[in-house]
Short mmCIF file of all heavy atoms in Angstrom, two decimals:
data_model
loop_
_atom_site.label_atom_id
_atom_site.label_comp_id
_atom_site.label_asym_id
_atom_site.label_seq_id
_atom_site.Cartn_x
_atom_site.Cartn_y
_atom_site.Cartn_z
N MET A 30 -3.25 20.48 -8.10
CA MET A 30 -4.18 19.45 -7.77
C MET A 30 -4.06 18.88 -6.37
O MET A 30 -2.99 18.60 -5.99
CB MET A 30 -3.99 18.30 -8.84
CG MET A 30 -5.21 17.34 -8.88
SD MET A 30 -4.98 16.25 -10.31
CE MET A 30 -4.45 14.78 -9.45
N TYR A 31 -5.14 18.69 -5.68
CA TYR A 31 -5.04 18.31 -4.28
C TYR A 31 -4.83 16.75 -4.22
O TYR A 31 -5.61 15.96 -4.85
CB TYR A 31 -6.40 18.62 -3.58
CG TYR A 31 -6.41 18.01 -2.15
CD1 TYR A 31 -5.56 18.60 -1.15
CD2 TYR A 31 -7.28 16.98 -1.77
CE1 TYR A 31 -5.58 18.01 0.10
CE2 TYR A 31 -7.38 16.47 -0.57
CZ TYR A 31 -6.53 17.05 0.45
OH TYR A 31 -6.57 16.50 1.64
N GLN A 32 -3.85 16.37 -3.56
CA GLN A 32 -3.62 14.93 -3.37
C GLN A 32 -3.61 14.58 -1.90
O GLN A 32 -2.67 15.02 -1.15
CB GLN A 32 -2.30 14.42 -4.03
CG GLN A 32 -2.30 14.66 -5.55
CD GLN A 32 -1.13 13.97 -6.14
OE1 GLN A 32 0.05 14.37 -5.79
NE2 GLN A 32 -1.30 13.11 -7.10
N PRO A 33 -4.53 13.79 -1.38
CA PRO A 33 -4.64 13.59 0.09
C PRO A 33 -3.45 12.92 0.60
O PRO A 33 -2.94 13.30 1.64
CB PRO A 33 -5.89 12.79 0.20
CG PRO A 33 -6.34 12.47 -1.07
CD PRO A 33 -5.58 13.29 -2.14
N HIS A 34 -2.99 11.90 -0.04
CA HIS A 34 -1.76 11.10 0.36
C HIS A 34 -1.06 10.61 -0.71
O HIS A 34 -1.70 10.24 -1.80
CB HIS A 34 -2.21 9.94 1.32
CG HIS A 34 -2.79 10.27 2.63
ND1 HIS A 34 -2.23 10.97 3.56
CD2 HIS A 34 -4.14 10.12 3.03
CE1 HIS A 34 -3.02 11.20 4.60
NE2 HIS A 34 -4.22 10.67 4.23
N PRO A 35 0.24 10.65 -0.75
CA PRO A 35 1.01 10.21 -1.84
C PRO A 35 1.19 8.75 -1.87
O PRO A 35 2.21 8.19 -2.55
CB PRO A 35 2.29 11.00 -1.73
CG PRO A 35 2.49 11.18 -0.28
CD PRO A 35 1.03 11.25 0.32
N PHE A 36 0.38 8.00 -1.15
CA PHE A 36 0.57 6.54 -1.20
C PHE A 36 -0.84 5.98 -0.84
O PHE A 36 -1.72 6.60 -0.41
CB PHE A 36 1.55 6.09 -0.03
CG PHE A 36 1.17 6.51 1.31
CD1 PHE A 36 0.34 5.71 2.08
CD2 PHE A 36 1.51 7.76 1.79
CE1 PHE A 36 -0.08 6.22 3.40
CE2 PHE A 36 1.04 8.22 3.02
CZ PHE A 36 0.29 7.42 3.79
N HIS A 37 -1.00 4.58 -0.89
CA HIS A 37 -2.15 3.94 -0.54
C HIS A 37 -1.76 2.62 0.20
O HIS A 37 -0.69 2.18 -0.01
CB HIS A 37 -3.14 3.76 -1.61
CG HIS A 37 -2.59 3.75 -2.94
ND1 HIS A 37 -2.67 4.75 -3.90
CD2 HIS A 37 -1.67 2.87 -3.56
CE1 HIS A 37 -1.98 4.43 -5.00
NE2 HIS A 37 -1.38 3.37 -4.78
N TRP A 38 -2.74 2.10 0.91
CA TRP A 38 -2.54 0.79 1.53
C TRP A 38 -3.00 -0.35 0.65
O TRP A 38 -3.99 -0.34 0.11
CB TRP A 38 -3.26 0.76 2.85
CG TRP A 38 -2.68 1.78 3.82
CD1 TRP A 38 -3.24 3.00 4.07
CD2 TRP A 38 -1.41 1.76 4.54
NE1 TRP A 38 -2.41 3.70 4.92
CE2 TRP A 38 -1.32 2.87 5.31
CE3 TRP A 38 -0.51 0.71 4.75
CZ2 TRP A 38 -0.36 3.12 6.15
CZ3 TRP A 38 0.57 0.99 5.70
CH2 TRP A 38 0.61 2.16 6.36
N ILE A 39 -2.20 -1.42 0.71
CA ILE A 39 -2.54 -2.62 -0.12
C ILE A 39 -2.23 -3.89 0.68
O ILE A 39 -1.08 -4.09 1.10
CB ILE A 39 -1.66 -2.62 -1.44
CG1 ILE A 39 -1.84 -1.46 -2.19
CG2 ILE A 39 -2.06 -3.83 -2.26
CD1 ILE A 39 -0.59 -0.86 -2.73
N PRO A 40 -3.24 -4.69 0.92
CA PRO A 40 -2.99 -5.97 1.67
C PRO A 40 -2.31 -6.91 0.70
O PRO A 40 -2.59 -7.07 -0.47
CB PRO A 40 -4.35 -6.49 2.10
CG PRO A 40 -5.38 -5.52 1.49
CD PRO A 40 -4.65 -4.49 0.62
N ALA A 41 -1.31 -7.59 1.31
CA ALA A 41 -0.52 -8.63 0.35
C ALA A 41 0.20 -9.53 1.34
O ALA A 41 0.86 -9.03 2.29
CB ALA A 41 0.43 -7.92 -0.51
N GLN A 42 0.17 -10.65 1.19
CA GLN A 42 0.89 -11.77 1.86
C GLN A 42 0.86 -11.58 3.39
O GLN A 42 1.97 -11.57 4.01
CB GLN A 42 2.30 -11.77 1.29
CG GLN A 42 2.32 -12.28 -0.17
CD GLN A 42 3.75 -12.62 -0.69
OE1 GLN A 42 4.67 -12.47 -0.01
NE2 GLN A 42 3.77 -12.97 -1.90
N GLY A 43 -0.34 -11.41 3.95
CA GLY A 43 -0.41 -11.40 5.40
C GLY A 43 -0.11 -10.11 6.05
O GLY A 43 -0.24 -10.11 7.38
N LYS A 44 0.17 -9.01 5.41
CA LYS A 44 0.47 -7.71 6.01
C LYS A 44 -0.32 -6.67 5.18
O LYS A 44 -0.57 -6.86 3.95
CB LYS A 44 1.85 -7.41 6.14
CG LYS A 44 2.66 -8.36 6.87
CD LYS A 44 2.88 -7.81 8.26
CE LYS A 44 3.82 -8.70 9.08
NZ LYS A 44 3.81 -8.38 10.54
N ARG A 45 -0.62 -5.49 5.86
CA ARG A 45 -0.99 -4.38 5.09
C ARG A 45 0.19 -3.49 4.73
O ARG A 45 0.83 -3.01 5.60
CB ARG A 45 -1.99 -3.52 6.00
CG ARG A 45 -3.36 -3.35 5.49
CD ARG A 45 -4.36 -2.98 6.49
NE ARG A 45 -3.86 -2.21 7.62
CZ ARG A 45 -3.67 -0.89 7.74
NH1 ARG A 45 -4.17 -0.17 6.76
NH2 ARG A 45 -3.26 -0.38 8.77
N HIS A 46 0.43 -3.45 3.44
CA HIS A 46 1.62 -2.71 2.91
C HIS A 46 1.21 -1.35 2.40
O HIS A 46 -0.02 -1.19 2.10
CB HIS A 46 2.38 -3.55 1.92
CG HIS A 46 3.00 -4.72 2.36
ND1 HIS A 46 4.27 -4.86 2.85
CD2 HIS A 46 2.39 -5.97 2.40
CE1 HIS A 46 4.48 -6.07 3.18
NE2 HIS A 46 3.35 -6.82 3.00
N ALA A 47 2.08 -0.43 2.15
CA ALA A 47 1.75 0.82 1.56
C ALA A 47 2.66 0.92 0.27
O ALA A 47 3.75 0.42 0.21
CB ALA A 47 2.07 1.99 2.44
N SER A 48 2.11 1.57 -0.67
CA SER A 48 2.76 1.84 -2.00
C SER A 48 2.49 3.16 -2.49
O SER A 48 1.50 3.72 -2.37
CB SER A 48 2.35 0.75 -3.03
OG SER A 48 3.08 1.04 -4.20
N SER A 49 3.60 3.82 -3.07
CA SER A 49 3.38 5.17 -3.82
C SER A 49 3.18 4.87 -5.27
O SER A 49 3.08 5.86 -6.00
CB SER A 49 4.55 6.04 -3.49
OG SER A 49 5.77 5.46 -3.88
N GLU A 50 3.06 3.69 -5.74
CA GLU A 50 2.74 3.39 -7.12
C GLU A 50 1.35 3.89 -7.49
O GLU A 50 0.49 3.71 -6.65
CB GLU A 50 2.91 1.91 -7.44
CG GLU A 50 4.17 1.48 -8.14
CD GLU A 50 4.10 0.12 -8.57
OE1 GLU A 50 3.07 -0.54 -8.79
OE2 GLU A 50 5.22 -0.38 -8.86
N SER A 51 1.17 4.37 -8.71
CA SER A 51 -0.14 4.83 -9.02
C SER A 51 -1.02 3.56 -9.39
O SER A 51 -0.47 2.48 -9.75
CB SER A 51 -0.24 5.72 -10.22
OG SER A 51 1.01 5.93 -10.73
N TYR A 52 -2.33 3.68 -9.25
CA TYR A 52 -3.20 2.56 -9.59
C TYR A 52 -3.14 2.41 -11.07
O TYR A 52 -2.89 3.25 -11.84
CB TYR A 52 -4.62 2.87 -9.16
CG TYR A 52 -4.95 2.87 -7.69
CD1 TYR A 52 -5.62 3.93 -7.12
CD2 TYR A 52 -4.57 1.79 -6.89
CE1 TYR A 52 -5.88 3.95 -5.71
CE2 TYR A 52 -4.83 1.82 -5.53
CZ TYR A 52 -5.41 2.86 -5.00
OH TYR A 52 -5.71 2.83 -3.64
N PRO A 53 -3.45 1.12 -11.53
CA PRO A 53 -3.57 0.90 -12.91
C PRO A 53 -4.66 1.79 -13.55
O PRO A 53 -5.55 2.15 -12.83
CB PRO A 53 -4.08 -0.61 -12.98
CG PRO A 53 -3.68 -1.21 -11.75
CD PRO A 53 -3.71 -0.08 -10.71
N ALA A 54 -4.52 2.08 -14.72
CA ALA A 54 -5.46 3.10 -15.40
C ALA A 54 -6.85 2.61 -15.22
O ALA A 54 -7.24 1.55 -15.51
CB ALA A 54 -5.09 3.27 -16.91
N GLY A 55 -7.77 3.59 -14.88
CA GLY A 55 -9.20 3.33 -14.85
C GLY A 55 -9.82 2.59 -13.60
O GLY A 55 -10.93 2.35 -13.61
N VAL A 56 -8.96 2.24 -12.70
CA VAL A 56 -9.53 1.50 -11.51
C VAL A 56 -9.01 2.22 -10.28
O VAL A 56 -8.01 2.96 -10.25
CB VAL A 56 -9.09 0.08 -11.44
CG1 VAL A 56 -9.65 -0.72 -12.59
CG2 VAL A 56 -7.61 -0.14 -11.45
N GLN A 57 -9.68 2.10 -9.17
CA GLN A 57 -9.47 2.60 -7.82
C GLN A 57 -8.89 1.38 -7.02
O GLN A 57 -9.58 1.12 -6.02
CB GLN A 57 -10.63 3.29 -7.24
CG GLN A 57 -10.89 4.66 -7.82
CD GLN A 57 -9.65 5.60 -7.63
OE1 GLN A 57 -9.22 5.82 -6.46
NE2 GLN A 57 -9.26 6.25 -8.72
N GLY A 58 -7.91 0.83 -7.30
CA GLY A 58 -7.31 -0.21 -6.56
C GLY A 58 -6.49 -1.16 -7.45
O GLY A 58 -6.49 -0.92 -8.69
N TYR A 59 -5.91 -2.12 -6.81
CA TYR A 59 -5.31 -3.16 -7.57
C TYR A 59 -5.96 -4.42 -7.63
O TYR A 59 -6.40 -4.95 -6.57
CB TYR A 59 -3.90 -3.40 -6.86
CG TYR A 59 -3.03 -2.26 -6.89
CD1 TYR A 59 -2.99 -1.33 -5.83
CD2 TYR A 59 -2.16 -1.95 -7.96
CE1 TYR A 59 -2.14 -0.30 -5.80
CE2 TYR A 59 -1.35 -0.77 -7.98
CZ TYR A 59 -1.33 0.04 -6.82
OH TYR A 59 -0.52 1.15 -6.87
N PRO A 60 -6.22 -5.03 -8.90
CA PRO A 60 -6.90 -6.31 -8.88
C PRO A 60 -6.15 -7.30 -8.16
O PRO A 60 -4.90 -7.18 -8.03
CB PRO A 60 -6.83 -6.60 -10.46
CG PRO A 60 -6.55 -5.23 -11.16
CD PRO A 60 -5.80 -4.46 -10.09
N ASP A 61 -6.82 -8.37 -7.66
CA ASP A 61 -6.18 -9.47 -6.99
C ASP A 61 -4.93 -10.01 -7.79
O ASP A 61 -5.11 -10.18 -8.95
CB ASP A 61 -7.26 -10.63 -6.81
CG ASP A 61 -7.92 -10.43 -5.47
OD1 ASP A 61 -7.54 -9.66 -4.62
OD2 ASP A 61 -8.93 -11.10 -5.41
N GLY A 62 -3.88 -10.13 -7.13
CA GLY A 62 -2.80 -10.85 -7.77
C GLY A 62 -1.81 -9.89 -8.49
O GLY A 62 -0.81 -10.32 -9.04
N SER A 63 -2.19 -8.64 -8.72
CA SER A 63 -1.29 -7.75 -9.44
C SER A 63 -0.17 -7.38 -8.53
O SER A 63 -0.21 -7.12 -7.34
CB SER A 63 -2.05 -6.44 -9.78
OG SER A 63 -2.77 -5.91 -8.84
N GLU A 64 1.02 -7.34 -9.24
CA GLU A 64 2.27 -7.09 -8.39
C GLU A 64 2.45 -5.62 -8.19
O GLU A 64 2.46 -4.83 -9.13
CB GLU A 64 3.50 -7.68 -9.23
CG GLU A 64 3.43 -9.22 -9.39
CD GLU A 64 4.54 -9.86 -8.56
OE1 GLU A 64 5.68 -9.54 -8.88
OE2 GLU A 64 4.23 -10.70 -7.71
N VAL A 65 2.72 -5.25 -6.92
CA VAL A 65 2.87 -3.89 -6.59
C VAL A 65 4.26 -3.69 -5.88
O VAL A 65 4.50 -4.49 -5.00
CB VAL A 65 1.71 -3.37 -5.73
CG1 VAL A 65 1.77 -1.88 -5.48
CG2 VAL A 65 0.36 -3.77 -6.31
N SER A 66 4.93 -2.65 -6.14
CA SER A 66 6.14 -2.30 -5.37
C SER A 66 5.79 -1.60 -4.14
O SER A 66 5.23 -0.44 -4.16
CB SER A 66 7.05 -1.41 -6.29
OG SER A 66 7.60 -2.20 -7.38
N MET A 67 6.08 -2.16 -3.02
CA MET A 67 5.76 -1.59 -1.70
C MET A 67 6.76 -0.63 -1.19
O MET A 67 7.93 -0.76 -1.60
CB MET A 67 5.42 -2.72 -0.72
CG MET A 67 4.43 -3.75 -1.18
SD MET A 67 2.83 -3.02 -1.51
CE MET A 67 1.87 -4.52 -2.06
N LEU A 68 6.40 0.15 -0.20
CA LEU A 68 7.48 1.07 0.37
C LEU A 68 8.42 0.34 1.08
O LEU A 68 9.52 0.89 1.34
CB LEU A 68 6.66 2.04 1.23
CG LEU A 68 5.65 3.06 0.61
CD1 LEU A 68 5.12 3.92 1.72
CD2 LEU A 68 6.34 3.84 -0.44
N CYS A 69 8.21 -0.88 1.49
CA CYS A 69 9.27 -1.69 2.22
C CYS A 69 10.15 -2.38 1.12
O CYS A 69 10.96 -3.24 1.52
CB CYS A 69 8.64 -2.70 3.11
SG CYS A 69 7.46 -3.91 2.16
N GLU A 70 10.08 -1.97 -0.06
CA GLU A 70 10.93 -2.47 -1.16
C GLU A 70 10.69 -3.92 -1.52
O GLU A 70 11.61 -4.62 -2.07
CB GLU A 70 12.34 -2.17 -0.79
CG GLU A 70 12.55 -0.71 -0.79
CD GLU A 70 14.04 -0.24 -0.41
OE1 GLU A 70 14.85 -1.19 -0.08
OE2 GLU A 70 14.28 0.93 -0.58
N GLN A 71 9.55 -4.43 -1.18
CA GLN A 71 9.22 -5.78 -1.65
C GLN A 71 8.26 -5.60 -2.73
O GLN A 71 7.48 -4.66 -2.82
CB GLN A 71 8.53 -6.61 -0.55
CG GLN A 71 9.37 -6.89 0.68
CD GLN A 71 8.73 -7.80 1.61
OE1 GLN A 71 8.66 -9.11 1.45
NE2 GLN A 71 8.08 -7.24 2.59
N LYS A 72 8.24 -6.55 -3.69
CA LYS A 72 7.21 -6.49 -4.79
C LYS A 72 6.25 -7.66 -4.54
O LYS A 72 6.68 -8.87 -4.52
CB LYS A 72 7.87 -6.78 -6.17
CG LYS A 72 7.08 -6.20 -7.34
CD LYS A 72 7.88 -6.11 -8.64
CE LYS A 72 7.10 -5.79 -9.79
NZ LYS A 72 6.73 -4.33 -9.85
N LEU A 73 4.98 -7.41 -4.16
CA LEU A 73 4.05 -8.34 -3.67
C LEU A 73 2.80 -8.38 -4.44
O LEU A 73 2.39 -7.27 -5.11
CB LEU A 73 3.74 -8.13 -2.17
CG LEU A 73 4.97 -8.13 -1.29
CD1 LEU A 73 4.54 -7.72 0.08
CD2 LEU A 73 5.53 -9.62 -1.22
N ALA A 74 2.05 -9.47 -4.47
CA ALA A 74 0.69 -9.59 -5.18
C ALA A 74 -0.36 -9.06 -4.26
O ALA A 74 -0.52 -9.55 -3.15
CB ALA A 74 0.54 -11.01 -5.55
N ALA A 75 -1.16 -8.15 -4.74
CA ALA A 75 -2.24 -7.55 -4.01
C ALA A 75 -3.36 -8.68 -3.62
O ALA A 75 -3.57 -9.56 -4.43
CB ALA A 75 -2.98 -6.40 -4.70
N ASP A 76 -3.87 -8.54 -2.49
CA ASP A 76 -4.95 -9.47 -1.99
C ASP A 76 -6.13 -8.76 -1.49
O ASP A 76 -6.05 -8.11 -0.45
CB ASP A 76 -4.30 -10.41 -0.87
CG ASP A 76 -5.20 -11.48 -0.49
OD1 ASP A 76 -6.46 -11.37 -0.72
OD2 ASP A 76 -4.76 -12.48 0.07
N ASN A 77 -7.29 -8.77 -2.19
CA ASN A 77 -8.40 -7.96 -1.89
C ASN A 77 -9.54 -8.83 -1.12
O ASN A 77 -10.60 -8.41 -1.01
CB ASN A 77 -9.10 -7.36 -3.14
CG ASN A 77 -8.06 -6.33 -3.73
OD1 ASN A 77 -7.75 -5.40 -3.15
ND2 ASN A 77 -7.68 -6.72 -4.97
N SER A 78 -9.04 -9.91 -0.52
CA SER A 78 -10.07 -10.74 0.24
C SER A 78 -10.57 -9.92 1.45
O SER A 78 -9.74 -9.10 2.01
CB SER A 78 -9.47 -12.00 0.66
OG SER A 78 -8.33 -11.84 1.49
N PRO A 79 -11.81 -10.07 1.93
CA PRO A 79 -12.36 -9.28 2.95
C PRO A 79 -11.45 -9.33 4.28
O PRO A 79 -11.33 -8.24 4.88
CB PRO A 79 -13.74 -9.97 3.30
CG PRO A 79 -14.02 -10.70 2.07
CD PRO A 79 -12.78 -11.05 1.43
N LEU A 80 -10.92 -10.43 4.58
CA LEU A 80 -10.10 -10.48 5.81
C LEU A 80 -8.71 -9.91 5.68
O LEU A 80 -8.09 -9.51 6.68
CB LEU A 80 -10.00 -11.92 6.35
CG LEU A 80 -11.24 -12.60 6.81
CD1 LEU A 80 -10.90 -14.10 7.17
CD2 LEU A 80 -11.77 -11.84 8.03
N ALA A 81 -8.41 -9.63 4.44
CA ALA A 81 -7.00 -9.08 4.18
C ALA A 81 -6.84 -7.67 4.92
O ALA A 81 -5.78 -7.32 5.36
CB ALA A 81 -6.74 -8.98 2.72
N TRP A 82 -7.96 -6.86 5.01
CA TRP A 82 -7.91 -5.54 5.61
C TRP A 82 -7.69 -5.60 7.06
O TRP A 82 -7.57 -4.61 7.77
CB TRP A 82 -9.14 -4.75 5.24
CG TRP A 82 -9.08 -4.37 3.81
CD1 TRP A 82 -9.79 -4.93 2.76
CD2 TRP A 82 -8.25 -3.36 3.20
NE1 TRP A 82 -9.38 -4.40 1.54
CE2 TRP A 82 -8.45 -3.38 1.89
CE3 TRP A 82 -7.32 -2.55 3.69
CZ2 TRP A 82 -7.80 -2.57 0.88
CZ3 TRP A 82 -6.56 -1.65 2.76
CH2 TRP A 82 -6.90 -1.73 1.49
N LEU A 83 -7.81 -6.80 7.72
CA LEU A 83 -7.59 -6.97 9.18
C LEU A 83 -6.17 -7.32 9.44
O LEU A 83 -5.84 -7.37 10.63
CB LEU A 83 -8.63 -7.95 9.64
CG LEU A 83 -10.07 -7.69 9.46
CD1 LEU A 83 -11.00 -8.84 9.94
CD2 LEU A 83 -10.48 -6.33 10.05
N TRP A 84 -5.38 -7.57 8.46
CA TRP A 84 -4.03 -7.97 8.73
C TRP A 84 -3.24 -6.83 9.39
O TRP A 84 -3.60 -5.65 9.22
CB TRP A 84 -3.33 -8.33 7.42
CG TRP A 84 -3.81 -9.57 6.85
CD1 TRP A 84 -4.49 -10.51 7.44
CD2 TRP A 84 -3.70 -10.04 5.49
NE1 TRP A 84 -4.81 -11.55 6.64
CE2 TRP A 84 -4.42 -11.31 5.35
CE3 TRP A 84 -3.04 -9.37 4.38
CZ2 TRP A 84 -4.44 -11.92 4.19
CZ3 TRP A 84 -3.04 -10.18 3.17
CH2 TRP A 84 -3.77 -11.40 3.10
N ASP A 85 -2.22 -7.20 10.07
CA ASP A 85 -1.29 -6.19 10.76
C ASP A 85 -0.54 -5.34 9.68
O ASP A 85 -0.32 -5.70 8.59
CB ASP A 85 -0.18 -6.86 11.61
CG ASP A 85 -0.78 -7.50 12.85
OD1 ASP A 85 -1.94 -7.04 13.28
OD2 ASP A 85 -0.16 -8.30 13.48
N THR A 86 -0.25 -4.16 10.12
CA THR A 86 0.46 -3.23 9.20
C THR A 86 1.97 -3.67 9.12
O THR A 86 2.57 -4.00 10.10
CB THR A 86 0.35 -1.88 9.75
OG1 THR A 86 -1.00 -1.45 10.01
CG2 THR A 86 1.08 -0.83 8.84
N CYS A 87 2.49 -3.63 7.90
CA CYS A 87 3.84 -3.84 7.76
C CYS A 87 4.67 -2.71 8.26
O CYS A 87 4.43 -1.59 7.93
CB CYS A 87 4.14 -4.00 6.20
SG CYS A 87 5.93 -3.91 5.71
N GLU A 88 5.56 -3.05 9.20
CA GLU A 88 6.20 -1.93 9.94
C GLU A 88 7.10 -1.00 8.99
O GLU A 88 6.97 0.15 9.17
CB GLU A 88 7.05 -2.58 11.10
CG GLU A 88 7.52 -1.65 12.09
CD GLU A 88 6.41 -0.69 12.69
OE1 GLU A 88 5.20 -1.11 12.89
OE2 GLU A 88 6.65 0.53 12.94
N PRO A 89 7.95 -1.63 8.23
CA PRO A 89 8.76 -0.72 7.30
C PRO A 89 7.76 0.24 6.41
O PRO A 89 8.14 1.38 6.22
CB PRO A 89 9.61 -1.62 6.50
CG PRO A 89 9.62 -2.92 7.27
CD PRO A 89 8.31 -3.01 8.05
N CYS A 90 6.75 -0.37 5.95
CA CYS A 90 5.85 0.42 5.17
C CYS A 90 5.22 1.51 5.98
O CYS A 90 4.99 2.58 5.60
CB CYS A 90 4.71 -0.47 4.64
SG CYS A 90 5.18 -1.35 3.06
N ASN A 91 4.87 1.17 7.23
CA ASN A 91 4.20 2.17 8.13
C ASN A 91 5.11 3.38 8.36
O ASN A 91 4.74 4.47 8.27
CB ASN A 91 3.84 1.50 9.45
CG ASN A 91 2.91 2.31 10.29
OD1 ASN A 91 2.10 3.03 9.76
ND2 ASN A 91 3.14 2.25 11.55
N VAL A 92 6.40 3.10 8.65
CA VAL A 92 7.42 4.11 8.88
C VAL A 92 7.62 5.01 7.63
O VAL A 92 7.61 6.24 7.66
CB VAL A 92 8.76 3.46 9.25
CG1 VAL A 92 9.91 4.50 9.24
CG2 VAL A 92 8.62 2.78 10.54
N ALA A 93 7.67 4.31 6.42
CA ALA A 93 7.91 5.13 5.15
C ALA A 93 6.56 5.92 4.89
O ALA A 93 6.69 7.09 4.37
CB ALA A 93 8.09 4.05 4.07
N ALA A 94 5.41 5.36 5.21
CA ALA A 94 4.19 6.11 4.93
C ALA A 94 4.08 7.35 5.76
O ALA A 94 3.64 8.35 5.29
CB ALA A 94 2.95 5.23 5.14
N HIS A 95 4.51 7.25 6.99
CA HIS A 95 4.49 8.34 7.90
C HIS A 95 5.43 9.46 7.42
O HIS A 95 5.10 10.75 7.51
CB HIS A 95 4.91 7.99 9.33
CG HIS A 95 3.74 7.42 10.20
ND1 HIS A 95 3.25 6.10 9.95
CD2 HIS A 95 3.01 8.01 11.10
CE1 HIS A 95 2.24 5.98 10.82
NE2 HIS A 95 2.09 7.02 11.50
N LEU A 96 6.63 9.12 6.91
CA LEU A 96 7.47 10.06 6.31
C LEU A 96 6.88 10.78 5.13
O LEU A 96 6.97 11.98 4.97
CB LEU A 96 8.80 9.37 5.95
CG LEU A 96 9.69 8.94 7.09
CD1 LEU A 96 10.87 8.13 6.60
CD2 LEU A 96 10.07 10.12 7.90
N LEU A 97 6.25 9.93 4.18
CA LEU A 97 5.62 10.49 3.08
C LEU A 97 4.46 11.49 3.43
O LEU A 97 4.33 12.48 2.82
CB LEU A 97 5.08 9.41 2.16
CG LEU A 97 5.96 8.73 1.25
CD1 LEU A 97 5.34 7.59 0.48
CD2 LEU A 97 6.68 9.61 0.29
N ALA A 98 3.70 11.06 4.47
CA ALA A 98 2.57 11.90 4.85
C ALA A 98 3.01 13.19 5.42
O ALA A 98 2.34 14.19 5.30
CB ALA A 98 1.70 11.16 5.87
N ALA A 99 4.16 13.19 5.92
CA ALA A 99 4.81 14.48 6.56
C ALA A 99 5.47 15.20 5.50
O ALA A 99 6.07 16.31 5.76
CB ALA A 99 5.76 14.07 7.70
N GLY A 100 5.49 14.78 4.28
CA GLY A 100 6.03 15.52 3.21
C GLY A 100 7.47 15.35 2.89
O GLY A 100 8.09 16.02 2.09
N ALA A 101 8.04 14.30 3.52
CA ALA A 101 9.47 14.04 3.30
C ALA A 101 9.58 13.12 2.07
O ALA A 101 8.77 12.26 1.77
CB ALA A 101 10.05 13.37 4.47
N ALA A 102 10.71 13.24 1.44
CA ALA A 102 11.09 12.27 0.34
C ALA A 102 11.62 11.02 0.96
O ALA A 102 12.34 11.09 1.93
CB ALA A 102 12.02 12.83 -0.61
N VAL A 103 11.32 9.84 0.46
CA VAL A 103 11.80 8.59 0.96
C VAL A 103 12.84 8.07 0.09
O VAL A 103 12.69 7.98 -1.20
CB VAL A 103 10.69 7.49 1.14
CG1 VAL A 103 11.25 6.18 1.57
CG2 VAL A 103 9.62 8.03 2.12
ZN1 ZN B 27 5.47 -3.51 3.45
#
């Protein structure tokens, strides 16, 4: 099965974080306020407000996401 990326981006608490957790069953995203384990090892509540997508990227998540995208295990 083709998987474009083993992670996705989730805005939470002022930054754009990445997570390799799967989405909850039946949805393409995390509902507002759902707790997600991020690649930077924080557990944060997802924020789907329109401006949230303009937040800066979380640096540790960005580094981990690049490693995942390159096929490395984190
Ligand atoms: Zn992060």
Side-chain angles (χ1 to χ4, degrees):
M30 196 171 102
Y31 175 68
Q32 292 189 307
H34 294 293
F36 61 90
H37 26 249
W38 296 100
I39 303 136
Q42 294 189 3
K44 298 265 188 196
R45 239 163 26 93
H46 296 269
S48 176
S49 55
E50 260 190 17
S51 3
Y52 290 133
V56 295
Q57 282 299 308
Y59 296 96
D61 273 343
S63 51
E64 295 250 301
V65 187
S66 294
M67 307 300 181
L68 295 181
C69 59
E70 295 180 352
Q71 297 185 83
K72 205 167 171 77
L73 301 171
D76 184 338
N77 295 297
S78 61
L80 289 178
W82 288 104
L83 302 175
W84 291 342
D85 285 343
T86 304
C87 167
E88 194 51 37
C90 276
N91 194 33
V92 170
H95 276 76
L96 291 173
L97 278 176
V103 176

